[in-house]
Amino acid sequence: MADDSFLVEKISIAGPALASILQRFSSSPGDADGFLFGHFTRLPPPDPHDDDPSSSYSVAPGPGSPTAFSASITGQFSSGAPMSFYDSIGRIDPHCVRRATASTEIGHGSVLLGWFSCRRRTTLRPSMRELAVSNSLFKTLTLGTPSVPKLQDSPPAASIFLLLSSSSTENQSIHTHEYRAFVLRKKSPGGACVLEPTSLHIVNIGPDFRGQYGSFLPESMLPLMPCGAEDDLGWREGLRGLQEAGAAQRLLGLATEGFKMEQLAHLVGPGGAEYVSELEDLYRKMLLKLERLASLVEKSSAKVLEQENKNSKMRCRLAGLE
Amino acid sequence: MVAEPPLPPAISAQLKYLLVHCPLPFRVEQIWSGCKNSRFSDRFTLLVPFCLDYIKWDVIYNAFFPFVAPDIVFSQEDEEFCPLLPGFDGEGEPESEAWLKCSSLWDWNSKDPSRLLKLVNEIRDLYIQHQRKRVGKIDDARLKFEINTILSREGIEVCLISGLDKVVFPISRKYSSSPSAPRIKLVASSQLKDLFSVEDVKLPSWVDGMCMAEYLPSLEDTLNIQIMEAVASIGGRRRFIEALAPKFGRPLEADPIFCRRATFLAVTGVFTFLVHFSLSAQFPKLQPTLTLQSSQHFNSQGAPILSLPLSDYPWSPRWDAPEMAERIFEFLVKECINFKKYCFDAVAQ
């Protein structure tokens, strides 16, 4: 159960992730819901203050003190139909959760943080089912990994809930989007679980995020570029080296069309400047890959839309709405 | 504001069934649509009767998936009320799990119009339990004793309002922690106020060392007798209004439930006016108050001219209804001349 040994103190969401949720919501005819993905980061313990003698002892990260976490939402997954992964009394279907997490996790280290619910023209308060779903999702994920003993500072399971509402004026000239983030928390031992409103920071909006530029670590789909010096050491020799090279080539294949690892090796090191054409080649092949992906997405989107329209027509007929 | 679209047939049938078949006075405050360019609405605010008042629940359906069970958003103060949570309100998890499995949400059938009523009743029952538990948590021995002894009585609802010292029953009362008599306040619904004059209700006296469980039965008995008398007096008022008809003609308008008001059209020569009868709860002890209203004279604001309330005319509660009507008619034959003059003067000014 949501014990107090961990706390999600901050929730931030990447601009594109929020935009894609909003887009998903505004393109859906009715209400929508889905999963939130991202990662938890441990927050540094607060600085002890010299002027307050009691605080310098209490905030020291002792073995029993709670570890504070910050949650960053970087992605979402929505199936398009409401109540796709839970039932009418708010119980999670573990298979759906597993399927969704398997299809979305692509080695980015992103984990399931929680879920979101979008409903037009309603108050931004969790409904009775939403609270039950949050509770059940949390339980499903904590019970799903019994082999791992619960460590004091292991990251919290999915306890984030994002509630969105939107409304528009009659002539559709003004659209208002509202959102509120919640963290599932147990009020008292043995007490009821509540979804506690928590502020949501949108990354890159506002001056609060200046600091992030300083601590930015690039995250790339490209494999580590083998530098010339390392090549001399012959680290690629042997079966293990071959395996690593194969994995790196596969990673590279995700980003470009037919660009060899050896070509990539030319781009770094002292002779890099001579291979401008190689770099342009890499860029061109990346664009090619993107174009192919885009046309695939376009075609499949058209098919999905067609199917969705068919489904909605059939649903209407079934419900006697025609 | 453009009118909201109607509810889809399946949802509309459920709501209609709820409003028609439930003995409790549920009401719908607002119906609106949560869909993009939809021909149908799918959410509404339900006013749920509780403790002589209403609590608001937003019932949320999905017009594109009308087969899907609805969801409810409770009001802000009821944040701790989470009926779908296993182990909620300190219940054992197996118990609440068992409840969920026989709840009407479990195997929702949108084709069955009685489902919404069942669901709302189930949740309301849980809400009553929840409020009882909240009141039970107040750390006051006297209050605990009183509540425990009276909760078994039928129809007792308690709730906690703003702060920890006030408890509302259908009959509400305020407690002090000393063993003295509690301060009791009767709260009546507006319908009851129409039936009889609530201000005149006298509370039975409180004997030292008494508790609510001893006090309530006698209070209920007195109230019962008074209500029975009030109901009986409706018959008297109805007979009086009926007796007016042979003299004044059929009433233009009459209160058919409590028989407290009736309006007749009267004519003398070319002067046409209305006579409003207002009957108090103490009728026939107190005579009806008459107000005359001209149909031809209007003041500078365009409102019809009204006489002052007339309640000083010959009257005896011992007369039978036809005689009462006869005497009032005789009085009005004279009085209408004064009223006509009053109207002329008012217009001339």
PDB file of all heavy atoms in Angstrom, chain B residues 145-153 173 175 206 210-218:
ATOM      1  N   PHE B 145     -22.728   8.196  23.208  1.00  0.00           N
ATOM      2  CA  PHE B 145     -23.821   7.461  23.840  1.00  0.00           C
ATOM      3  C   PHE B 145     -25.148   7.770  23.155  1.00  0.00           C
ATOM      4  O   PHE B 145     -25.902   6.883  22.787  1.00  0.00           O
ATOM      5  CB  PHE B 145     -23.875   7.823  25.338  1.00  0.00           C
ATOM      6  CG  PHE B 145     -25.114   7.338  26.017  1.00  0.00           C
ATOM      7  CD1 PHE B 145     -25.264   5.979  26.288  1.00  0.00           C
ATOM      8  CD2 PHE B 145     -26.131   8.215  26.369  1.00  0.00           C
ATOM      9  CE1 PHE B 145     -26.416   5.517  26.907  1.00  0.00           C
ATOM     10  CE2 PHE B 145     -27.280   7.765  26.978  1.00  0.00           C
ATOM     11  CZ  PHE B 145     -27.428   6.410  27.247  1.00  0.00           C
ATOM     12  N   GLU B 146     -25.397   9.069  22.967  1.00  0.00           N
ATOM     13  CA  GLU B 146     -26.666   9.479  22.365  1.00  0.00           C
ATOM     14  C   GLU B 146     -26.824   8.877  20.974  1.00  0.00           C
ATOM     15  O   GLU B 146     -27.868   8.338  20.627  1.00  0.00           O
ATOM     16  CB  GLU B 146     -26.731  11.017  22.244  1.00  0.00           C
ATOM     17  CG  GLU B 146     -26.652  11.738  23.575  1.00  0.00           C
ATOM     18  CD  GLU B 146     -27.963  11.715  24.346  1.00  0.00           C
ATOM     19  OE1 GLU B 146     -28.813  10.869  24.032  1.00  0.00           O
ATOM     20  OE2 GLU B 146     -28.135  12.545  25.250  1.00  0.00           O
ATOM     21  N   ILE B 147     -25.745   8.982  20.192  1.00  0.00           N
ATOM     22  CA  ILE B 147     -25.835   8.489  18.814  1.00  0.00           C
ATOM     23  C   ILE B 147     -26.073   6.989  18.805  1.00  0.00           C
ATOM     24  O   ILE B 147     -26.914   6.491  18.068  1.00  0.00           O
ATOM     25  CB  ILE B 147     -24.531   8.824  18.055  1.00  0.00           C
ATOM     26  CG1 ILE B 147     -24.296  10.318  18.048  1.00  0.00           C
ATOM     27  CG2 ILE B 147     -24.562   8.231  16.654  1.00  0.00           C
ATOM     28  CD1 ILE B 147     -24.613  11.028  16.798  1.00  0.00           C
ATOM     29  N   ASN B 148     -25.330   6.289  19.637  1.00  0.00           N
ATOM     30  CA  ASN B 148     -25.466   4.837  19.641  1.00  0.00           C
ATOM     31  C   ASN B 148     -26.865   4.402  20.046  1.00  0.00           C
ATOM     32  O   ASN B 148     -27.369   3.399  19.568  1.00  0.00           O
ATOM     33  CB  ASN B 148     -24.449   4.209  20.600  1.00  0.00           C
ATOM     34  CG  ASN B 148     -23.065   4.228  20.003  1.00  0.00           C
ATOM     35  OD1 ASN B 148     -22.931   4.332  18.787  1.00  0.00           O
ATOM     36  ND2 ASN B 148     -22.060   4.165  20.844  1.00  0.00           N
ATOM     37  N   THR B 149     -27.493   5.156  20.934  1.00  0.00           N
ATOM     38  CA  THR B 149     -28.806   4.722  21.389  1.00  0.00           C
ATOM     39  C   THR B 149     -29.912   5.095  20.413  1.00  0.00           C
ATOM     40  O   THR B 149     -30.958   4.466  20.421  1.00  0.00           O
ATOM     41  CB  THR B 149     -29.146   5.295  22.780  1.00  0.00           C
ATOM     42  OG1 THR B 149     -28.875   6.689  22.763  1.00  0.00           O
ATOM     43  CG2 THR B 149     -28.353   4.615  23.868  1.00  0.00           C
ATOM     44  N   ILE B 150     -29.690   6.118  19.596  1.00  0.00           N
ATOM     45  CA  ILE B 150     -30.812   6.472  18.715  1.00  0.00           C
ATOM     46  C   ILE B 150     -30.644   6.002  17.278  1.00  0.00           C
ATOM     47  O   ILE B 150     -31.596   6.002  16.521  1.00  0.00           O
ATOM     48  CB  ILE B 150     -31.099   7.990  18.699  1.00  0.00           C
ATOM     49  CG1 ILE B 150     -29.892   8.750  18.198  1.00  0.00           C
ATOM     50  CG2 ILE B 150     -31.554   8.478  20.041  1.00  0.00           C
ATOM     51  CD1 ILE B 150     -30.220  10.175  17.874  1.00  0.00           C
ATOM     52  N   LEU B 151     -29.415   5.571  16.898  1.00  0.00           N
ATOM     53  CA  LEU B 151     -29.197   5.239  15.489  1.00  0.00           C
ATOM     54  C   LEU B 151     -30.049   4.073  15.013  1.00  0.00           C
ATOM     55  O   LEU B 151     -30.306   3.934  13.822  1.00  0.00           O
ATOM     56  CB  LEU B 151     -27.728   4.927  15.214  1.00  0.00           C
ATOM     57  CG  LEU B 151     -26.899   6.136  14.803  1.00  0.00           C
ATOM     58  CD1 LEU B 151     -25.544   5.698  14.326  1.00  0.00           C
ATOM     59  CD2 LEU B 151     -27.586   6.962  13.726  1.00  0.00           C
ATOM     60  N   SER B 152     -30.501   3.225  15.949  1.00  0.00           N
ATOM     61  CA  SER B 152     -31.274   2.073  15.513  1.00  0.00           C
ATOM     62  C   SER B 152     -32.674   2.501  15.070  1.00  0.00           C
ATOM     63  O   SER B 152     -33.376   1.747  14.420  1.00  0.00           O
ATOM     64  CB  SER B 152     -31.357   1.067  16.641  1.00  0.00           C
ATOM     65  OG  SER B 152     -31.916   1.701  17.771  1.00  0.00           O
ATOM     66  N   ARG B 153     -33.067   3.700  15.448  1.00  0.00           N
ATOM     67  CA  ARG B 153     -34.405   4.167  15.033  1.00  0.00           C
ATOM     68  C   ARG B 153     -34.431   4.351  13.518  1.00  0.00           C
ATOM     69  O   ARG B 153     -33.451   4.733  12.914  1.00  0.00           O
ATOM     70  CB  ARG B 153     -34.730   5.494  15.711  1.00  0.00           C
ATOM     71  CG  ARG B 153     -34.783   5.393  17.207  1.00  0.00           C
ATOM     72  CD  ARG B 153     -35.147   6.726  17.778  1.00  0.00           C
ATOM     73  NE  ARG B 153     -36.538   7.045  17.519  1.00  0.00           N
ATOM     74  CZ  ARG B 153     -37.538   6.669  18.306  1.00  0.00           C
ATOM     75  NH1 ARG B 153     -37.286   5.936  19.364  1.00  0.00           N
ATOM     76  NH2 ARG B 153     -38.766   6.995  18.024  1.00  0.00           N
ATOM     77  N   ARG B 173     -29.931  18.929  16.174  1.00  0.00           N
ATOM     78  CA  ARG B 173     -29.728  19.450  17.532  1.00  0.00           C
ATOM     79  C   ARG B 173     -28.258  19.753  17.749  1.00  0.00           C
ATOM     80  O   ARG B 173     -27.386  19.198  17.094  1.00  0.00           O
ATOM     81  CB  ARG B 173     -30.214  18.438  18.562  1.00  0.00           C
ATOM     82  CG  ARG B 173     -29.565  17.098  18.422  1.00  0.00           C
ATOM     83  CD  ARG B 173     -30.524  16.025  18.810  1.00  0.00           C
ATOM     84  NE  ARG B 173     -31.568  15.939  17.826  1.00  0.00           N
ATOM     85  CZ  ARG B 173     -32.381  14.895  17.718  1.00  0.00           C
ATOM     86  NH1 ARG B 173     -32.299  13.895  18.538  1.00  0.00           N
ATOM     87  NH2 ARG B 173     -33.311  14.854  16.806  1.00  0.00           N
ATOM     88  N   TYR B 175     -25.092  20.112  20.429  1.00  0.00           N
ATOM     89  CA  TYR B 175     -24.709  19.552  21.715  1.00  0.00           C
ATOM     90  C   TYR B 175     -23.698  20.413  22.449  1.00  0.00           C
ATOM     91  O   TYR B 175     -22.807  20.980  21.843  1.00  0.00           O
ATOM     92  CB  TYR B 175     -24.058  18.187  21.497  1.00  0.00           C
ATOM     93  CG  TYR B 175     -25.058  17.095  21.354  1.00  0.00           C
ATOM     94  CD1 TYR B 175     -25.447  16.658  20.106  1.00  0.00           C
ATOM     95  CD2 TYR B 175     -25.621  16.522  22.482  1.00  0.00           C
ATOM     96  CE1 TYR B 175     -26.371  15.645  19.976  1.00  0.00           C
ATOM     97  CE2 TYR B 175     -26.540  15.514  22.365  1.00  0.00           C
ATOM     98  CZ  TYR B 175     -26.916  15.075  21.106  1.00  0.00           C
ATOM     99  OH  TYR B 175     -27.824  14.085  20.989  1.00  0.00           O
ATOM    100  N   TRP B 206     -37.409  18.882  29.004  1.00  0.00           N
ATOM    101  CA  TRP B 206     -36.281  17.976  29.196  1.00  0.00           C
ATOM    102  C   TRP B 206     -36.109  17.708  30.678  1.00  0.00           C
ATOM    103  O   TRP B 206     -35.956  18.636  31.470  1.00  0.00           O
ATOM    104  CB  TRP B 206     -35.026  18.619  28.610  1.00  0.00           C
ATOM    105  CG  TRP B 206     -33.807  17.748  28.692  1.00  0.00           C
ATOM    106  CD1 TRP B 206     -32.946  17.654  29.743  1.00  0.00           C
ATOM    107  CD2 TRP B 206     -33.332  16.868  27.688  1.00  0.00           C
ATOM    108  NE1 TRP B 206     -31.960  16.756  29.458  1.00  0.00           N
ATOM    109  CE2 TRP B 206     -32.165  16.257  28.197  1.00  0.00           C
ATOM    110  CE3 TRP B 206     -33.769  16.513  26.410  1.00  0.00           C
ATOM    111  CZ2 TRP B 206     -31.428  15.323  27.458  1.00  0.00           C
ATOM    112  CZ3 TRP B 206     -33.028  15.600  25.695  1.00  0.00           C
ATOM    113  CH2 TRP B 206     -31.876  15.009  26.214  1.00  0.00           C
ATOM    114  N   MET B 210     -31.953  12.819  31.434  1.00  0.00           N
ATOM    115  CA  MET B 210     -32.586  12.178  30.291  1.00  0.00           C
ATOM    116  C   MET B 210     -31.555  11.980  29.177  1.00  0.00           C
ATOM    117  O   MET B 210     -30.531  12.651  29.131  1.00  0.00           O
ATOM    118  CB  MET B 210     -33.669  13.123  29.797  1.00  0.00           C
ATOM    119  CG  MET B 210     -34.943  12.468  29.412  1.00  0.00           C
ATOM    120  SD  MET B 210     -36.047  13.763  28.878  1.00  0.00           S
ATOM    121  CE  MET B 210     -37.477  12.790  28.531  1.00  0.00           C
ATOM    122  N   CYS B 211     -31.825  11.086  28.250  1.00  0.00           N
ATOM    123  CA  CYS B 211     -30.982  11.026  27.074  1.00  0.00           C
ATOM    124  C   CYS B 211     -31.865  11.060  25.834  1.00  0.00           C
ATOM    125  O   CYS B 211     -33.078  10.940  25.927  1.00  0.00           O
ATOM    126  CB  CYS B 211     -30.085   9.784  27.087  1.00  0.00           C
ATOM    127  SG  CYS B 211     -30.979   8.262  26.811  1.00  0.00           S
ATOM    128  N   MET B 212     -31.233  11.244  24.699  1.00  0.00           N
ATOM    129  CA  MET B 212     -31.987  11.447  23.466  1.00  0.00           C
ATOM    130  C   MET B 212     -32.926  10.286  23.176  1.00  0.00           C
ATOM    131  O   MET B 212     -34.032  10.474  22.690  1.00  0.00           O
ATOM    132  CB  MET B 212     -31.034  11.603  22.273  1.00  0.00           C
ATOM    133  CG  MET B 212     -30.285  12.897  22.215  1.00  0.00           C
ATOM    134  SD  MET B 212     -31.315  14.360  22.277  1.00  0.00           S
ATOM    135  CE  MET B 212     -32.269  14.165  20.817  1.00  0.00           C
ATOM    136  N   ALA B 213     -32.462   9.065  23.487  1.00  0.00           N
ATOM    137  CA  ALA B 213     -33.276   7.904  23.162  1.00  0.00           C
ATOM    138  C   ALA B 213     -34.585   7.909  23.950  1.00  0.00           C
ATOM    139  O   ALA B 213     -35.586   7.369  23.504  1.00  0.00           O
ATOM    140  CB  ALA B 213     -32.501   6.628  23.453  1.00  0.00           C
ATOM    141  N   GLU B 214     -34.557   8.547  25.139  1.00  0.00           N
ATOM    142  CA  GLU B 214     -35.793   8.638  25.918  1.00  0.00           C
ATOM    143  C   GLU B 214     -36.633   9.804  25.417  1.00  0.00           C
ATOM    144  O   GLU B 214     -37.850   9.774  25.466  1.00  0.00           O
ATOM    145  CB  GLU B 214     -35.469   8.879  27.396  1.00  0.00           C
ATOM    146  CG  GLU B 214     -34.799   7.719  28.072  1.00  0.00           C
ATOM    147  CD  GLU B 214     -34.328   8.098  29.465  1.00  0.00           C
ATOM    148  OE1 GLU B 214     -33.402   8.919  29.566  1.00  0.00           O
ATOM    149  OE2 GLU B 214     -34.895   7.588  30.426  1.00  0.00           O
ATOM    150  N   TYR B 215     -35.946  10.841  25.003  1.00  0.00           N
ATOM    151  CA  TYR B 215     -36.622  12.086  24.651  1.00  0.00           C
ATOM    152  C   TYR B 215     -37.315  11.993  23.300  1.00  0.00           C
ATOM    153  O   TYR B 215     -38.440  12.465  23.127  1.00  0.00           O
ATOM    154  CB  TYR B 215     -35.580  13.209  24.639  1.00  0.00           C
ATOM    155  CG  TYR B 215     -36.139  14.585  24.388  1.00  0.00           C
ATOM    156  CD1 TYR B 215     -36.792  15.280  25.402  1.00  0.00           C
ATOM    157  CD2 TYR B 215     -36.003  15.183  23.145  1.00  0.00           C
ATOM    158  CE1 TYR B 215     -37.299  16.545  25.166  1.00  0.00           C
ATOM    159  CE2 TYR B 215     -36.501  16.444  22.907  1.00  0.00           C
ATOM    160  CZ  TYR B 215     -37.154  17.123  23.921  1.00  0.00           C
ATOM    161  OH  TYR B 215     -37.655  18.362  23.699  1.00  0.00           O
ATOM    162  N   LEU B 216     -36.610  11.357  22.319  1.00  0.00           N
ATOM    163  CA  LEU B 216     -37.107  11.339  20.942  1.00  0.00           C
ATOM    164  C   LEU B 216     -38.509  10.748  20.786  1.00  0.00           C
ATOM    165  O   LEU B 216     -39.327  11.339  20.091  1.00  0.00           O
ATOM    166  CB  LEU B 216     -36.124  10.590  20.036  1.00  0.00           C
ATOM    167  CG  LEU B 216     -35.072  11.438  19.334  1.00  0.00           C
ATOM    168  CD1 LEU B 216     -34.359  10.576  18.305  1.00  0.00           C
ATOM    169  CD2 LEU B 216     -35.701  12.643  18.653  1.00  0.00           C
ATOM    170  N   PRO B 217     -38.816   9.588  21.424  1.00  0.00           N
ATOM    171  CA  PRO B 217     -40.154   9.023  21.194  1.00  0.00           C
ATOM    172  C   PRO B 217     -41.268   9.984  21.530  1.00  0.00           C
ATOM    173  O   PRO B 217     -42.217  10.123  20.776  1.00  0.00           O
ATOM    174  CB  PRO B 217     -40.180   7.791  22.108  1.00  0.00           C
ATOM    175  CG  PRO B 217     -38.762   7.425  22.277  1.00  0.00           C
ATOM    176  CD  PRO B 217     -37.997   8.702  22.240  1.00  0.00           C
ATOM    177  N   SER B 218     -41.151  10.697  22.693  1.00  0.00           N
ATOM    178  CA  SER B 218     -42.240  11.596  23.063  1.00  0.00           C
ATOM    179  C   SER B 218     -42.317  12.767  22.086  1.00  0.00           C
ATOM    180  O   SER B 218     -43.387  13.225  21.715  1.00  0.00           O
ATOM    181  CB  SER B 218     -42.074  12.090  24.504  1.00  0.00           C
ATOM    182  OG  SER B 218     -40.930  12.894  24.599  1.00  0.00           O
TER     183      SER B 218
END
